[in-house]
Amino acid sequence: MSTFGFYFDSSACSGCKTCQVACKDKNDLQAGIRFRRVYEVAGANWNKTDEGAWEHDIVAYNLSIACNHCENPSCVKACPTTAMHSELDGIIQIDPKKCVGCRYCQWACPYGSPQYNRQKGIMQKCDFCRDYILDGKQPVCVTSCPMRALEFGPISQLIEKYGDNRSVFPLPDPSITKPALFIKPHPGAARASELGGSIINREEVKDEQ
Amino acid sequence: MGKQNRRDFIRTSAVAGGIALSSPIWFPESLGFNPGQAVSPGLAQNGWIKVGCPAHNCGGRCLLKVLIKDGIITRIETDDRPVDTPADPQLRACIRGRSYRRRQYHPDRLKYPLVRTGKRGEGKFRQASWDEALEIMSVEMLRIRKKYGNQSMFVPYGTGSYSHLNGRWPAERLMNLVGGALEYYNSYSWACISKATSTVYGTGITGNQRQDWLSSKYILMWGWNPAEMRDGTNSDYFIKKARENGARVVCIDPRMTFSAVSLADEWISIRPGTDTAMMSAMVYVMVRENLHDSEFIRTHCIGFDSTQMPKGLENEESYLDYLLGTRDGQPKSPQWAAPITGVPSDTITRIAREYAQTKPAMLYQGYGMQRRAYGEQPVRGGCVLAAVTGNVGIHGGWASGIALQPGGGPLWSIFPTGTNPVKAKIPTFLWTEAITRGTSLSAKEGLTGVEKLDSNIKFIWSVASNILANQHGNINRAGRILEDENLVEYIVVQDQFMTASARYADLVLPVCTHFETWGLEDGWKYGEEVILMPQVVEPSYQTKSDYRICAELAAKLGVYESFTEGLDEKGWTRRLWDQYRETRFPNLPPFDQFVESNQGVYSVPVHNPQISLEEFRRDPETHPLQTPGGKIEIFSETLFNLGRKDEIPAVPKYIQEWESPFGPEAGSYPLQAIGPHYMARVHSTHDNVDWLKEAFPQRVFINPIDAKSRNLSDGERVLVFNDRGKISLPCRITPRIMPGVVAVPQGAWSMPGPDGTDINGNINALSSERWTPLAFGNAQHTIMVAIKKIKP
Amino acid sequence: MSNSDWPLMVFTLSMQFSVGVVLLYDLFLLFPIALKKEKLPLRFQMILLVALVAALTGVVFSLLHPGNPVNAMKTLSNLNNSWLSREILFFISYSGMLLIVTGLQFRFPSAVRSYKWLLDLTCLTGLVLVYVMSRIYWLPSMPAWDSIFTPISFYLAMFLSGSCFLLLFQLNSGSWTSQKGLAVLIIAIPVIQVALLPVYMSWLEEAGDSARQSVSLLLNQYLPAFYLRLGFEILTIAFGFWAFFSIRSDTLKRRNLFIPALLAFITMVGALVIDRFLFYQQIVPIGNL
């Protein structure tokens, strides 16, 4: 049972990826491994008008996703070695000494969070900056955000402050894993599905290992 | 070692550039950095140190906290001052600041001086000692000075280092001590906007302090993209706060930028180079619907209609004449503007009403639209829109134009460069002309200070600059000019990496990074702060600071004492600090105390933001503007008197660009290409940083409609070309750019392949060297291109 | 399909083949023999050996998959939750039992009756193994796998590969009826597989965006492979019929069976390999993140 969560204001996220790199710096991650990824969602119809101008109904927004430290973590269930485990405080961590590198957690996670480190042959992922939390500090992604669009805190507190919305297109149904991720959707997000919106920066978020 | 040929350079750069993402990670230890090496006394051994960010011409001025362990930077975080309010916000660094370790410990850092061995531009060098390198340089300088005079020597515009005493300033100081050098004026960034704003307001100080944005109720971000270009640390955050206060934000831009996505309620796509058409149509709507502030126009402006024309010019075309088509028979209606701008007429009408009727309102114009063919026009047009709606000199308003800050504002660099004995100045962008035909330049090409130059440019000392072969217009032409040893006889490049420009050097001098020397910075365009940049690690390899290099060269030239005044880098930083204490920031703590405190930044909270042109607004008679008529010049008598009304009209007009989708060139090259700032770089700096390339790879962005008609699939490598050059790079198909326009982010490092095609996607292989009529500014964004598949 | 999926493809196919061979051997060949108290024909001993080799191939390839096989022993640590842990348990049990029973058969070929219970147990373990294996893929995060179609497809692959192999192997020694039975399977299973395809695809169409994208992958990017697989299936059916009608009670004419049985085996391998390739290739994670 997770105690902490992220709040993400998608309406304010510019997609600058400072969070992604702040995280990479803290965790010494080589290119290709991203504990936090920024997905660019967009959809639109473009039409030329009779007077020769262009009309569009575009929707575009960003989703910054790390590990959601789900309350019902499918990765922990999937892991054959128990390397992927939930700490008492609900933070889900990988024990590198146990991980066999089977990548099954990667299949099981509906958020693409576990990342495979080819050089080490094991999985890695966001640990909420557990060392920082234990030190009374915030995760490094949260304090990096130039738009102040990320927050971190106890789940109950985040729900009280922002409500209990854990989904936005195209994230999976939150009932699958109960992610500790609370989202303020971009105003356009409601139309994204009907516009045939999709993730358009796939090469910037895919697991390349 | 010691020789690096061009092919090796390209190969290593391509790998380092993230094409091979599985390449092994490099962290300092793997590069032979020796943890625990001797560290000079006074340098912090271990722990978190605060350092200013960046060291380049970024619009942001932020604060880093770097963790030092045994002489190596092992982690980078940012400003974490406990209080984070709009009055005094945290200066949070962006992705570029956070990835500095990958630049600091990049294996391609220049390590020792290099002397050219092959043909110029071939990229073949040998290793040299510092003594030999500076000896060669001083001999060449003296030889060329003797033969051609000081006007033949040139330190070009360059912004790769920006910490007051790193960068081109010490080189300028040294040149000024040895007889001076040909000088330049204006910049690659702001040539038109700085020139044209003054033609309307008589000043460039037309902005309010940013905290005032929170008072605005309507914000038009016109080609302005603070989130992506980092136009001031926290500018995007202030807009967010303004929205929380109820402001509606509309973004007008060919691209749905980061700012459009995260800051705006609406994005209006506009064809590049047609902004003045939409601006004109907006005023047309206001006039037709009587939404303009006619009282303010009557009391504060000149030339709006025939009743307020300057004396003697009563019969000339007023702004209203232009709008209504009195002379040319063409009313500048939204229906006229729609096919030009690509913006539906209904939208133009609606935005005109919103902007005119919501008070107070800001029209913030970006700088991209003025790096275009007639870049002066949209600047004047934006200022006129602000004036006719009466948004000048009020809280929550914005006078538009370059919008420098009231109350002095930041100064970029206060390092004393001295007085240049050479009085001749050329426009920044015309250095290639000064090489090829300097002695024939005149005022017609913007030459000032002298009638004629004594000599063409014969010696170039390029410090922290990648202008020569990367950032200039038409770099293929620039490269041909630089290659010719009969033109420029000696080229010195001082930098941290083997840039495209450094490849053309006869001598390459390796410079340390800002983490390896002392410096300081203030708030770029905005902000009330001073940020210290203490040295935190030893210079890597044999690198030295720009200041140190200049000082050692000064010794060779016999001016060491007058150059250094007995100060080292830290000494100069202290002196500049003291200068701030004596002028802008009287409460600034003493330097040594501040260094000791590891506070990093000194900032003055802004609770009552200052407003530009406030006194003029209140009483235009007592506080007239510095324009010829003392008022806002919608009609500029000065421009009228130039007698070039087709290119420099007295009122802002839409003029079809010299390369345009409406011109014959569109037959072969149907797409407009723009080169926006990219999150992955500050101009060309950072292009070799893998974390940034991974996050934002170099791509040509194209609308699905244009991609479909060319049968392109997302991620496919394509050829972008015109008569001036060819580049190849993968495409990104995105609905976030309007049809007919493609974007190739500027600043990618030029990497010409065997057939001359730039394989790294540098847009300047396609851009032009032609300059704007009034400001002599770069018009690099005005280009037409074609795109085709590489694989059939 | 990422590179690490290739070993999994070989692993799943060879394990299913192994179990199929052992199971059908037990049912079709050994059972009648045991009933009649006959001595095991020497040739039949090879069948279990082939199944064992297939299982050991599975072992090798399963070890190629993880990035850090040093920790392989730790994979049994999460039997309570992880289907992968369980799979490994059953995989080890099955392979171990198969090794023993194969050894017994070589050592005591005439005493089949006394250890047939072990072979039966091996079969049962194998059946469970195939089910557990399918549960690994039966994931909410992967809509294309997230259904009963996954175990069905695994079991069908098991039966088809096993029957094709056995028919080919017992050309001269199998009973007339068991051959007929195997040929019926060789016809029936591809028919079921082909018939299930539209059912599966239309189910996917209704199972959300990512599932729909899986269909689109199959019908666009992988359409050639998809058709190729279909072709192989139809050929297998055809060769199954050919084989069926070539089966005679007259032992002398059994050689006529060789060609259709061999062809059926080859097309079966083609069909299953492509099928499994597409199985890994078609996945689009939920949300497509």
Side-chain angles (χ1 to χ4, degrees):
Chain A
M1 183 64 188
S2 184
T3 33
F4 298 112
F6 281 122
Y7 166 74
F8 171 60
D9 181 353
S10 174
S11 72
C13 175
S14 71
C16 74
K17 300 190 183 177
T18 303
C19 50
Q20 172 178 315
V21 162
C23 170
K24 292 183 75 112
D25 179 75
K26 171 153 190 296
N27 293 294
D28 278 348
L29 303 181
Q30 70 240 52
I33 301 179
R34 309 166 184 89
F35 288 1
R36 186 173 272 284
R37 301 155 306 285
V38 180
Y39 299 85
E40 183 186 346
V41 185
N45 297 296
W46 281 89
N47 293 302
K48 199 159 196 174
T49 67
D50 293 340
E51 53 181 6
W54 285 101
E55 273 179 345
H56 64 78
D57 52 1
I58 193 162
V59 163
Y61 54 92
N62 302 293
L63 297 174
S64 173
I65 308 284
C67 171
N68 302 319
H69 299 271
C70 302
E71 297 182 45
N72 181 18
S74 54
C75 58
V76 171
K77 282 205 196 96
C79 178
T81 65
T82 69
M84 184 75 82
H85 65 285
S86 184
E87 295 285 340
L88 290 177
D89 49 21
I91 295 175
I92 292 164
Q93 285 191 304
I94 298 173
D95 183 345
K97 288 204 274 303
K98 285 187 184 170
C99 179
V100 70
C102 68
R103 311 180 65 166
Y104 189 32
C105 51
Q106 206 170 27
W107 280 349
C109 172
Y111 297 93
S113 296
Q115 303 274 303
Y116 183 59
N117 184 328
R118 182 175 288 282
Q119 268 139 38
K120 295 184 178 168
I122 57 170
M123 303 304 296
Q124 295 182 303
K125 71 165 197 68
C126 154
D127 68 350
F128 255 153
C129 291
R130 192 159 187 266
D131 52 339
Y132 277 22
I133 295 176
L134 296 176
D135 223 16
K137 296 195 291 184
Q138 300 264 308
V140 75
C141 53
V142 170
T143 51
S144 79
C145 180
M147 289 299 285
R148 285 78 163 168
L150 279 171
E151 278 182 43
F152 164 84
I155 286 179
S156 53
Q157 206 173 304
L158 292 175
I159 291 177
E160 194 179 327
K161 202 166 161 193
Y162 298 109
D164 195 0
N165 176 48
R166 310 186 190 206
S167 76
V168 64
F169 177 85
L171 294 190
D173 183 344
S175 69
I176 299 174
T177 61
K178 286 207 91 181
L181 172 69
F182 304 91
I183 302 165
K184 179 180 177 186
H186 192 277
R191 291 193 293 120
S193 178
E194 70 186 71
L195 277 172
S198 62
I199 293 162
I200 63 166
N201 67 336
R202 192 153 298 284
E203 64 170 322
E204 295 168 8
V205 291
K206 69 177 182 216
D207 182 1
E208 290 159 34
Q209 295 293 307
Chain B
M1 285 302 287
K3 287 195 178 181
Q4 190 172 27
N5 68 43
R6 184 154 153 175
R7 193 176 300 153
D8 280 347
F9 165 73
I10 289 171
R11 193 186 310 128
T12 51
S13 300
V15 170
I19 293 165
L21 279 162
S22 57
S23 59
I25 191 162
W26 71 81
F27 280 108
E29 300 75 9
S30 66
L31 298 178
F33 279 81
N34 178 18
Q37 69 189 10
V39 179
S40 342
L43 265 191
Q45 300 275 344
N46 287 311
W48 290 98
I49 314 287
K50 291 182 178 168
V51 193
C53 173
H56 329 292
N57 187 16
C58 172
R61 284 292 178 264
C62 305
L63 188 62
L64 297 179
K65 270 183 9 176
V66 300
L67 182 61
I68 309 294
K69 202 171 168 218
D70 300 329
I72 283 173
I73 301 171
T74 56
R75 198 180 292 178
I76 295 184
E77 295 193 357
T78 195
D79 192 359
D80 57 357
R81 286 175 293 167
V83 180
D84 180 30
T85 61
D88 191 12
Q90 289 176 348
L91 305 174
R92 294 188 177 189
C94 75
I95 182 171
R96 306 188 288 240
R98 300 305 287 259
S99 55
Y100 255 129
R101 276 204 293 148
R102 309 296 285 171
R103 188 171 186 276
Q104 169 74 14
Y105 298 113
H106 198 295
D108 293 351
R109 282 273 304 272
L110 288 175
K111 301 173 178 66
Y112 31 73
L114 297 169
V115 174
R116 175 167 70 87
T117 56
K119 284 195 296 193
R120 191 187 277 167
E122 202 177 34
K124 286 186 179 156
F125 297 95
R126 67 170 172 85
Q127 185 176 346
S129 71
W130 272 106
D131 188 61
E132 185 198 0
L134 293 178
E135 186 62 31
I136 294 173
M137 181 171 173
S138 60
V139 167
E140 287 294 332
M141 280 177 86
L142 294 173
R143 177 184 70 78
I144 292 169
R145 185 177 69 169
K146 191 171 170 198
K147 191 167 170 193
Y148 300 103
N150 280 83
Q151 282 185 7
S152 71
M153 326 213 27
F154 189 57
V155 179
Y157 179 85
T159 59
S161 277
Y162 239 98
S163 60
H164 289 223
L165 61 156
N166 247 8
R168 65 182 191 263
W169 294 276
E172 287 173 5
R173 177 181 170 87
L174 178 56
M175 287 311 299
N176 290 344
L177 288 172
V178 296
L182 178 63
E183 202 162 320
Y184 58 80
Y185 64 91
N186 74 29
S187 66
Y188 278 78
S189 304
W190 286 352
C192 286
I193 203 166
S194 49
K195 181 79 180 178
T197 304
S198 296
T199 65
V200 182
Y201 290 114
T203 175
I205 301 174
T206 57
N208 306 343
Q209 280 185 312
R210 292 179 299 171
Q211 282 78 1
D212 188 61
W213 298 351
L214 276 62
S215 309
S216 190
K217 290 299 161 211
Y218 189 82
I219 299 172
L220 268 184
M221 300 195 299
W222 201 309
W224 182 48
N225 180 14
E228 216 160 339
M229 78 151 278
R230 309 311 297 160
D231 184 39
T233 303
N234 286 317
S235 283
D236 42 5
Y237 175 63
F238 284 122
I239 299 288
K240 180 186 171 187
K241 287 285 167 194
R243 290 179 85 194
E244 286 171 12
N245 280 359
R248 175 173 154 77
V249 181
V250 175
C251 177
I252 302 174
D253 202 295
R255 300 160 57 229
M256 191 187 198
T257 58
F258 284 20
S259 304
V261 165
S262 60
L263 303 175
D265 297 288
E266 182 180 357
W267 168 52
I268 293 166
S269 60
I270 188 168
R271 197 168 276 141
T274 67
D275 305 275
T276 323
M278 176 160 172
M279 290 167 172
S280 305
M282 283 171 65
V283 188
Y284 178 92
V285 171
M286 292 174 198
V287 170
R288 276 300 166 101
E289 303 185 7
N290 199 26
L291 303 174
H292 55 307
D293 188 339
S294 45
E295 180 60 19
F296 181 79
I297 294 171
R298 191 181 63 75
T299 52
H300 288 75
C301 302
I302 287 174
F304 181 74
D305 59 29
S306 56
T307 67
Q308 48 169 205
M309 294 296 279
K311 213 167 156 51
L313 300 174
E314 289 85 351
N315 292 324
E316 297 303 327
E317 184 185 36
S318 72
Y319 191 50
L320 194 63
D321 288 337
Y322 170 68
L323 294 179
L324 300 179
T326 318
R327 308 281 166 111
D328 62 8
Q330 175 60 63
K332 308 305 175 302
S333 64
Q335 290 71 26
W336 162 78
I340 296 172
T341 58
V343 184
S345 54
D346 293 348
T347 308
I348 297 176
T349 305
R350 179 168 55 82
I351 298 300
R353 289 174 186 155
E354 287 178 10
Y355 177 59
Q357 291 178 306
T358 321
K359 303 281 178 185
M362 278 174 66
L363 188 168
Y364 199 123
Q365 50 186 174
Y367 318 121
M369 69 174 101
Q370 52 95 50
R371 289 188 285 263
R372 302 195 63 90
Y374 301 99
E376 296 90 355
Q377 297 311 312
V379 176
R380 289 182 39 81
C383 295
V384 165
L385 263 173
V388 300
T389 53
N391 278 304
V392 176
I394 57 169
H395 278 290
W398 191 256
S400 206
I402 191 168
L404 299 178
Q405 299 282 288
L411 296 159
W412 281 274
S413 177
I414 57 171
F415 182 78
T417 54
T419 310
N420 191 349
V422 172
K423 294 303 157 207
K425 287 188 185 187
I426 56 168
T428 300
F429 191 59
L430 272 72
W431 60 267
T432 43
E433 310 315 299
I435 292 174
T436 52
R437 54 186 180 104
T439 52
S440 68
L441 295 180
S442 68
K444 205 157 64 67
E445 288 89 10
L447 178 68
T448 68
V450 292
E451 289 276 310
K452 289 281 173 202
L453 292 174
D454 301 334
S455 166
N456 297 345
I457 292 175
K458 290 292 174 187
F459 176 84
I460 289 179
W461 182 10
S462 172
V463 182
S465 171
N466 202 2
I467 288 301
L468 300 183
N470 209 77
Q471 297 300 91
H472 193 59
N474 196 354
I475 46 171
N476 290 332
R477 171 180 180 263
R480 287 191 294 273
I481 293 169
L482 292 167
E483 253 165 28
D484 187 343
E485 291 173 44
N486 294 319
L487 293 172
V488 186
E489 294 188 4
Y490 207 73
I491 301 176
V492 181
V493 170
Q494 213 163 294
D495 214 313
Q496 295 160 348
F497 290 94
M498 182 57 73
T499 62
S501 299
R503 288 209 298 273
Y504 286 93
D506 301 300
L507 180 65
V508 180
L509 301 177
V511 184
C512 68
T513 67
H514 62 294
F515 293 117
E516 298 164 345
T517 184
W518 283 82
L520 77 164
E521 57 190 15
D522 60 1
W524 196 73
K525 185 179 170 188
Y526 312 96
E528 291 294 304
E529 65 251 348
V530 188
I531 310 173
L532 187 68
M533 304 172 89
Q535 183 187 351
V536 292
V537 290
E538 292 289 344
S540 302
Y541 314 106
Q542 295 178 28
T543 62
K544 296 174 191 282
S545 74
D546 286 323
Y547 176 81
R548 176 61 40 204
I549 295 169
C550 292
E552 290 178 11
L553 186 64
K556 297 265 182 205
L557 297 169
V559 291
Y560 182 81
E561 292 306 320
S562 46
F563 179 82
T564 62
E565 298 183 25
L567 299 174
D568 61 6
E569 291 93 329
K570 189 175 182 181
W572 272 104
T573 306
R574 183 187 285 108
R575 180 180 285 187
L576 300 177
W577 186 268
D578 289 343
Q579 198 179 323
Y580 273 131
R581 291 185 74 204
E582 286 153 21
T583 55
R584 268 181 81 198
F585 302 105
N587 296 324
L588 196 59
F591 180 74
D592 291 313
Q593 181 190 323
F594 195 83
V595 171
E596 189 63 30
S597 73
N598 190 24
Q599 196 180 321
V601 59
Y602 169 83
S603 60
V604 183
V606 177
H607 296 288
N608 299 302
Q610 295 188 61
I611 309 299
S612 281
L613 308 169
E614 202 174 16
E615 290 180 320
F616 164 72
R617 167 97 199 191
R618 201 173 55 241
D619 186 354
E621 306 305 324
T622 323
H623 301 282
L625 297 179
Q626 298 301 305
T627 54
K631 292 187 175 178
I632 298 171
E633 302 223 322
I634 296 174
F635 180 100
S636 166
E637 193 177 342
T638 313
L639 298 185
F640 178 83
N641 288 338
L642 293 175
R644 295 167 62 196
K645 65 184 168 121
D646 289 343
E647 290 189 308
I648 312 174
V651 296
K653 288 185 177 182
Y654 165 68
I655 307 171
Q656 185 179 313
E657 297 186 317
W658 53 66
E659 276 182 47
S660 153
F662 309 118
E665 57 278 6
S668 317
Y669 304 117
L671 296 168
Q672 290 182 282
I674 53 175
H677 285 227
Y678 207 30
M679 203 69 221
R681 294 187 286 267
V682 177
H683 305 295
S684 68
T685 307
H686 300 291
D687 190 45
N688 55 348
V689 175
D690 63 345
W691 282 353
L692 294 170
K693 260 199 158 47
E694 166 195 47
F696 298 105
Q698 178 72 356
R699 297 290 177 261
V700 51
F701 294 83
I702 185 167
N703 184 283
I705 292 174
D706 294 321
K708 195 174 177 192
S709 63
R710 289 163 180 78
N711 194 24
L712 307 179
S713 46
D714 189 53
E716 172 179 4
R717 189 167 269 269
V718 298
L719 195 71
V720 188
F721 61 101
N722 61 17
D723 284 342
R724 288 176 292 266
K726 295 182 284 187
I727 63 175
S728 92
L729 72 171
C731 68
R732 170 75 56 81
I733 299 174
T734 172
R736 287 175 59 174
I737 188 164
M738 74 181 297
V741 183
V742 295
V744 180
Q746 61 103 352
W749 282 9
S750 170
M751 293 181 189
D755 69 338
T757 302
D758 192 311
I759 58 166
N760 198 38
N762 184 319
I763 193 174
N764 285 321
L766 310 171
S767 66
S768 154
E769 73 277 19
R770 186 165 167 186
W771 54 89
T772 69
L774 174 65
F776 306 99
N778 46 331
Q780 279 160 283
H781 296 324
T782 294
I783 49 171
M784 299 298 290
V785 301
I787 292 190
K788 66 178 185 193
K789 288 173 93 74
I790 288 181
K791 277 191 216 145
Chain C
M1 185 159 176
S2 76
N3 288 334
S4 66
D5 291 346
W6 286 101
L8 291 180
M9 192 173 126
V10 178
F11 169 75
T12 55
L13 279 177
S14 52
M15 289 317 293
Q16 284 154 25
F17 171 69
S18 172
V19 176
V21 167
V22 175
L23 182 73
L24 294 174
Y25 167 64
D26 194 13
L27 286 178
F28 280 71
L29 300 183
L30 212 51
F31 183 64
I33 291 170
L35 220 57
K36 286 185 236 165
K37 303 185 184 178
E38 283 174 8
K39 188 173 176 244
L40 198 64
L42 199 62
R43 190 176 165 79
F44 279 16
Q45 297 172 359
M46 297 306 289
I47 293 178
L48 282 190
L49 191 65
V50 166
L52 184 66
V53 168
L56 293 179
T57 308
V59 175
V60 171
F61 276 85
S62 74
L63 284 173
L64 285 180
H65 166 68
N68 190 26
V70 179
N71 278 343
M73 288 315 290
K74 296 199 171 76
T75 51
L76 289 170
S77 313
N78 198 11
L79 291 169
N80 281 344
N81 296 302
S82 173
W83 284 106
L84 183 51
S85 270
R86 292 169 195 163
E87 183 214 43
I88 291 158
L89 177 71
F90 280 97
F91 165 56
I92 292 170
S93 315
Y94 168 79
S95 308
M97 284 192 266
L98 183 58
L99 183 69
I100 293 167
V101 86
T102 309
L104 286 172
Q105 196 181 278
F106 271 94
R107 185 72 183 80
F108 310 107
S110 49
V112 173
R113 278 167 68 89
S114 55
Y115 55 82
K116 187 169 180 302
W117 64 272
L118 187 57
L119 188 66
D120 295 343
L121 198 61
T122 309
C123 288
L124 212 60
T125 312
L127 283 171
V128 177
L129 169 64
V130 172
Y131 174 73
V132 172
M133 202 183 261
S134 76
R135 286 307 300 250
I136 290 177
Y137 299 90
W138 195 338
L139 288 168
S141 50
M142 297 292 183
W145 292 343
D146 187 24
S147 74
I148 196 159
F149 289 107
T150 300
I152 290 175
S153 115
F154 280 18
Y155 278 121
L156 291 177
M158 178 193 88
F159 278 115
L160 181 61
S161 57
S163 48
C164 282
F165 173 76
L166 278 191
L167 184 66
L168 188 63
F169 217 89
Q170 54 145 337
L171 291 174
N172 298 311
S173 37
S175 75
W176 180 81
T177 43
S178 76
Q179 284 181 347
K180 282 279 185 198
L182 290 170
V184 168
L185 281 180
I186 293 170
I187 297 162
I189 292 172
V191 167
I192 297 171
Q193 282 178 324
V194 172
L196 275 178
L197 266 178
V199 184
Y200 174 61
M201 305 277 264
S202 57
W203 175 82
L204 274 183
E205 282 286 352
E206 302 299 314
D209 285 349
S210 299
R212 255 196 308 285
Q213 285 178 46
S214 292
V215 178
S216 151
L217 274 179
L218 287 177
L219 295 184
N220 294 296
Q221 200 173 337
Y222 295 111
L223 194 64
F226 185 76
Y227 276 141
L228 198 59
R229 184 214 146 166
L230 217 57
F232 277 129
E233 297 267 23
I234 290 165
L235 284 176
T236 310
I237 297 170
F239 296 137
F241 273 111
W242 182 0
F244 184 85
F245 291 114
S246 307
I247 296 167
R248 300 279 183 280
S249 51
D250 179 356
T251 31
L252 287 176
K253 293 191 174 170
R254 281 186 187 170
R255 288 192 184 282
N256 296 341
L257 191 54
F258 175 71
I259 291 172
L262 181 67
L263 289 173
F265 186 84
I266 292 168
T267 51
M268 172 279 296
V269 171
L272 290 187
V273 166
I274 298 171
D275 180 38
R276 198 51 51 87
F277 168 78
L278 291 174
F279 177 82
Y280 287 103
Q281 215 48 296
Q282 67 175 340
I283 52 163
V284 177
I286 193 164
N288 198 2
L289 295 182

